[in-house]
Amino acid sequence: MKQPVESSSVVDRVLHALTSVARAGRPMAAKQIATEIGAPLSTVYRLLSSLKQWGLLQEHANSGLFEPGPSSVQLAWGFDQNAQLVTQSRDEIRALVERTGESVGLLVPINDAVVCLSMVESDQPLRCSFARGRAHPLTRGASAKALLAFLPEAQTDVLIADSAPDDPEAVAALRAQLEEIRRQRFATSESEVDIGVWGVSAPLVSDVGRLEGTITLMAPVARIAGREAELAQLTRAAADRISYKL
C-alpha cells in the first residue's frame, strides 16, 4: 500500500540524518545535523531518539555529540558477507594488487558522492584519502568520473550543472572528458583528489547494462611513470571480468 506523503518525508529525514552522521567521519552535534538535513531542531531530536533506540546512532555522555552506533557493525558485517558486488570482485581486486604492486579500491555512487566499499592496500606506501566508508564528491577524480560517465543521463546532467554553475567552460570540459571515458571505458586522474596521487578507474556494469560501481588503482605519480597505459589496461581488464560475473 502506498504510504502517505508525511510518512515518506519522515523516513527520508531519518535516513538523511543517519547518513549525514555516517559521512561526516566525526561525531556531530544535533544542531549540525538539523542544518544538514534542513529540519527544525525539535524534529531532529525526535529522529535521533529513534535512531539511538535502534542502536544506529549513539550519543556521547559528556559532549552530547552523535556518532554511528553498535548496530552499524551488524550492518557492515552483513554487507561484507552477502553483498554480491563485494564478493564477486574480491578475488579480481586482490589479483590486480598482486600483479601491479599498487592499491585498489572498490567504489560505488550514492546520491551526489562516491563511497569506498573496500580498499586492498599493497605493501608499497601510498598517501591517499580513500578508505573504506569515506565519501568524496562525484565530479572529481578518476573514480568519480568513471561512475559519472555511466550514470543515467538525467542524474549526470544535474551533477555536472551543480559542480560549476557559473563556469560554462568547466562544464563543457567535463562533458568532453566523460565522452572520452565512455569511449575508452576507463578514467585517469592526477592530483585531483590527493596531491601526487595518480589513479585509473574502470566501471563495473552488469549484464543488464546497470552501473554497479568501479574499481580504482591508485599510486604515487613518481612510482608509475611510464606504466600508465599498462596499469590502465590491467584495471579495465579486471573490471571487465568482474562485470561478467554480475
Side-chain angles (χ1 to χ4, degrees):
M1 183 176 67
K2 185 177 180 180
Q3 295 296 317
V5 174
E6 295 80 4
S7 296
S8 297
S9 177
V10 170
V11 170
D12 287 341
R13 283 179 168 176
V14 169
L15 296 177
H16 197 172
L18 180 60
T19 55
S20 293
V21 175
R23 290 173 61 175
R26 64 185 186 282
M28 294 181 69
K31 288 184 179 180
Q32 291 176 292
I33 299 171
T35 300
E36 181 79 15
I37 72 174
L41 187 58
S42 58
T43 298
V44 169
Y45 274 120
R46 290 196 295 271
L47 302 181
L48 295 175
S49 177
S50 294
L51 290 168
K52 284 171 55 182
Q53 181 180 351
W54 285 94
L56 292 168
L57 291 182
Q58 61 187 17
E59 182 180 6
H60 286 196
N62 296 327
S63 68
L65 301 179
F66 292 85
E67 65 183 6
S71 291
S72 302
V73 178
Q74 293 177 307
L75 286 171
W77 182 85
F79 181 83
D80 287 343
Q81 296 300 312
N82 301 294
Q84 183 188 28
L85 182 59
V86 174
T87 57
Q88 295 292 346
S89 61
R90 187 174 290 139
D91 290 344
E92 286 290 347
I93 288 176
R94 287 174 177 165
L96 183 59
V97 172
E98 291 176 4
R99 183 166 184 179
T100 63
E102 304 298 346
S103 299
V104 179
L106 172 66
L107 304 102
V108 295
I110 300 179
N111 296 325
D112 60 348
V114 52
V115 178
C116 182
L117 296 187
S118 66
M119 176 68 75
V120 179
E121 298 182 357
S122 74
D123 294 332
Q124 302 191 76
L126 173 67
R127 283 192 171 187
C128 176
S129 61
F130 280 93
R132 186 178 183 220
R134 292 286 300 275
H136 294 270
L138 197 45
T139 54
R140 191 172 72 250
S143 303
K145 291 175 184 176
L147 293 169
L148 191 62
F150 293 92
L151 285 172
E153 185 176 356
Q155 185 178 356
T156 299
D157 288 343
V158 171
L159 290 167
I160 291 175
D162 289 345
S163 68
D166 302 317
D167 192 343
E169 291 185 2
V171 168
L174 179 55
R175 288 190 180 280
Q177 277 187 291
L178 297 181
E179 186 61 34
E180 178 65 11
I181 292 167
R182 293 186 192 100
R183 185 189 67 80
Q184 61 188 11
R185 294 186 68 81
F186 68 84
T188 61
S189 68
E190 182 177 321
S191 299
E192 284 192 38
V193 178
D194 295 296
I195 300 299
V197 174
W198 179 87
V200 56
S201 185
L204 307 175
V205 181
S206 69
D207 59 357
V208 296
R210 185 177 62 196
L211 177 67
E212 302 290 349
T214 187
I215 58 170
T216 302
L217 181 146
M218 291 161 266
V221 173
R223 199 160 66 215
I224 55 88
R227 300 177 61 206
E228 293 90 344
E230 174 199 2
L231 295 176
Q233 181 181 13
L234 290 172
T235 302
R236 175 179 166 175
D240 287 345
R241 288 191 293 271
I242 295 169
S243 296
Y244 182 76
K245 300 176 184 178
L246 299 176

